[in-house]
Amino acid sequence: MNYRTESPEIIREFLFYHETIKGHSKKTVDEYFLDLRTFFRYMKIHKNLIARDTPFEEISIMDINLNFVEKITVSDIYEYLAFLSRDRPKQQNSRNTDYGLNANSRARKVAVIRSYYKYLTLKAKKLSESPVADMDSPKLRKSLPRFLSLDESVRLLDKVDGKHRARDLCILIIFLNCGLRISELAGLDLTDLREDHIRVIGKGNKERVVYINDACAEAINEHIKIRKNITATDGRALFLSSRRTRISTSTIHALVKKHLLAAGLDSTKYSSHKLRHTAATLMLKSGVDVRTLQELLGHEHLNTTQIYTHIENSSLRDAASRSPLSGYKKKT
C-alpha cells in the first residue's frame, strides 16, 4: 500500500500535508488514506458511478477530483455512516466476520473526513464550505479503563522470572512507573538514557522527557549489565529480542501476557496498554495532578488524560463528607 501512487492528487496533497507539515507518523497517514479510500469507494457506489456488483475492495478512487468532492453533502455522509454501522465488515478479508463498525470506529472515520474538509476549506482554499462543519459525531459509550491495583502490580513484578528476567522486569517497571506507550518502549535507544530521566519519542515524533524513580533506575542498571555484553543487529536498541534484534511491540505484548498469567492475573482482561492505564491511575491516586499527568503520558489534549479521573479521589470524598447536609437523616 502506497498512498503516493494509489490516491489522486486531491487526496494525496492532504496526506502530504499531514506527513510533512503536521509531522504525523507513516502509520497514522496510512490510516487516513485507508479511511478516505473507503469513504470515496462508498461515495462512487452511492452516486451510481459504478456497477453495484463491483467488489468493494476493487473500486479505484484515482478518478476522484475536486468537482466530485465538493458535490458531497452532509446527507451523503450520514448515508455513509449508516453503511459503516450496518454493512461494513468488522474484519476485512475474513470470511467469518460480523458486520457493522462500533461507534468508536465510526467516530474516528468522521474525524478523518472532518479533517479532510477542514484542510480543503481552510488550508488549501479549494472549497468555500465544509459539509461536515456542523455534523454530529456518533455518540460514544464511555467506558472506564481497566487497570491493576497496587497489590496486583506488585504481584506481577514479583513473579517475573525466566531467561530474560532482567529485560522483562525492566520493561514492566518502566510501564508501571512511567506509563509509556508500547511503541515508545520498543523504540527506546541506549542513548535515550540519562541519569535521572529518559528521552521518549511519542506520537507524531514529538519528544518529551520522562523522569525515572529509584525503581526504574535500578531495573535499567540491572538490564544494562546484561545488554552491554550482547552484540545486536541494531546496536542502538535498549531492548532486544531473543534474536538480538530490536524488540517488537508484538514481543512486548507476548511477554506481558506471559507474566500476567504467571502472577495469576487474567491475561484476557489486561494487556500492555492496561499497564499504561495502571501507571496513570496509580499516579493520580497518589496525588499527581491531571495536567502533570497529561505531559507525562504525552497526551496532546487534556480531555484524553481526564479519562483517568474516574478513580477514587480522597479530596473529593473529603469534600462530600464536609457538606453541611452530610449528616441529614429523614425524620420518622
Side-chain angles (χ1 to χ4, degrees):
M1 180 186 66
N2 186 345
Y3 77 81
R4 296 170 185 266
T5 58
E6 296 179 31
S7 61
E9 182 179 356
I10 193 68
I11 296 175
R12 193 165 58 246
E13 62 184 28
F14 165 75
L15 300 174
F16 276 145
Y17 168 75
H18 276 275
E19 184 174 6
T20 59
I21 304 301
K22 300 291 285 184
H24 289 165
S25 68
K26 180 181 183 302
K27 180 180 178 181
T28 297
V29 174
D30 285 345
E31 288 175 351
Y32 286 178
F33 167 57
L34 292 177
D35 284 343
L36 289 174
R37 186 176 67 178
T38 300
F39 173 63
F40 285 116
R41 279 174 170 172
Y42 174 80
M43 283 300 153
K44 289 184 71 173
I45 295 174
H46 180 63
K47 300 285 189 180
N48 296 313
L49 298 177
I50 198 163
R52 292 274 174 173
D53 58 353
T54 303
F56 191 86
E57 302 303 326
E58 294 179 12
I59 298 174
S60 171
I61 61 167
M62 292 300 291
D63 56 344
I64 299 297
N65 55 28
L66 181 61
N67 183 55
F68 182 89
V69 171
E70 66 183 353
K71 289 182 179 178
I72 293 174
T73 67
V74 67
S75 296
D76 294 329
I77 298 173
Y78 279 128
E79 289 277 358
Y80 172 63
L81 291 179
F83 159 74
L84 293 177
S85 65
R86 292 192 307 253
D87 304 320
R88 184 65 175 160
K90 290 183 178 179
Q91 295 177 317
Q92 304 304 312
N93 304 317
S94 174
R95 294 180 180 179
N96 302 312
T97 182
D98 293 330
Y99 288 82
L101 303 185
N102 62 31
N104 285 329
S105 296
R106 298 198 308 274
R108 191 197 72 183
K109 294 182 185 302
V110 168
V112 173
I113 295 170
R114 183 175 282 116
S115 177
Y116 179 62
Y117 277 100
K118 182 179 179 180
Y119 166 80
L120 291 177
T121 52
L122 301 181
K123 299 296 180 182
K125 308 291 185 183
K126 292 188 174 184
L127 294 180
S128 58
E129 59 182 0
S130 166
V132 293
D134 299 319
M135 181 178 173
D136 295 327
S137 292
K139 185 176 181 180
L140 303 181
R141 181 175 65 86
K142 293 184 178 180
S143 59
L144 300 179
R146 289 174 174 166
F147 59 93
L148 300 176
S149 68
L150 179 57
D151 288 343
E152 288 171 332
S153 300
V154 172
R155 192 193 338 162
L156 172 62
L157 297 177
D158 284 345
K159 291 295 183 179
V160 176
D161 204 352
K163 179 181 178 182
H164 301 291
R165 180 184 180 279
R167 180 200 69 180
D168 294 1
L169 185 60
C170 186
I171 287 172
L172 293 175
I173 285 178
I174 293 177
F175 257 138
L176 291 169
N177 281 277
C178 303
L180 267 61
R181 299 180 179 93
I182 187 170
S183 58
E184 294 170 347
L185 239 167
L188 285 177
D189 288 336
L190 291 166
T191 53
D192 292 327
L193 302 179
R194 303 292 189 274
E195 184 177 347
D196 63 348
H197 68 272
I198 52 180
R199 184 180 73 109
V200 177
I201 306 300
K203 285 187 174 180
N205 290 319
K206 292 180 180 177
E207 181 179 326
R208 71 182 189 277
V209 168
V210 175
Y211 287 91
I212 58 176
N213 54 28
D214 291 343
C216 287
E218 182 179 348
I220 290 172
N221 288 335
E222 289 302 311
H223 170 63
I224 291 297
K225 289 178 184 178
I226 298 173
R227 169 65 184 87
K228 68 182 181 180
N229 295 317
I230 301 175
T231 302
T233 55
D234 186 345
R236 301 170 303 166
L238 175 59
F239 296 115
L240 302 174
S241 70
S242 57
R243 297 190 300 274
R244 301 188 177 189
T245 59
R246 180 183 292 275
I247 200 167
S248 65
T249 56
S250 59
T251 297
I252 296 177
H253 275 302
L255 72 85
V256 168
K257 294 286 187 182
K258 169 188 169 183
H259 296 303
L260 284 168
L261 282 170
L265 299 167
D266 190 344
S267 63
T268 63
K269 183 178 178 182
Y270 300 110
S271 64
S272 54
H273 194 62
K274 298 301 184 292
L275 299 189
R276 177 169 158 88
H277 292 332
T278 298
T281 302
L282 294 181
M283 279 187 273
L284 273 176
K285 277 193 171 187
S286 299
V288 176
D289 69 87
V290 70
R291 288 197 175 274
T292 299
L293 189 62
Q294 175 192 3
E295 185 172 346
L296 178 72
L297 296 176
H299 287 159
E300 185 173 357
H301 302 292
L302 184 62
N303 60 0
T304 307
T305 315
Q306 286 175 331
I307 189 173
Y308 298 109
T309 58
H310 68 281
I311 64 170
E312 182 180 15
N313 187 303
S314 57
S315 61
L316 293 179
R317 289 176 62 85
D318 184 58
S321 67
R322 290 174 182 270
S323 167
L325 291 173
S326 64
Y328 170 77
K329 292 182 180 179
K330 184 178 180 181
K331 293 180 179 179
T332 56

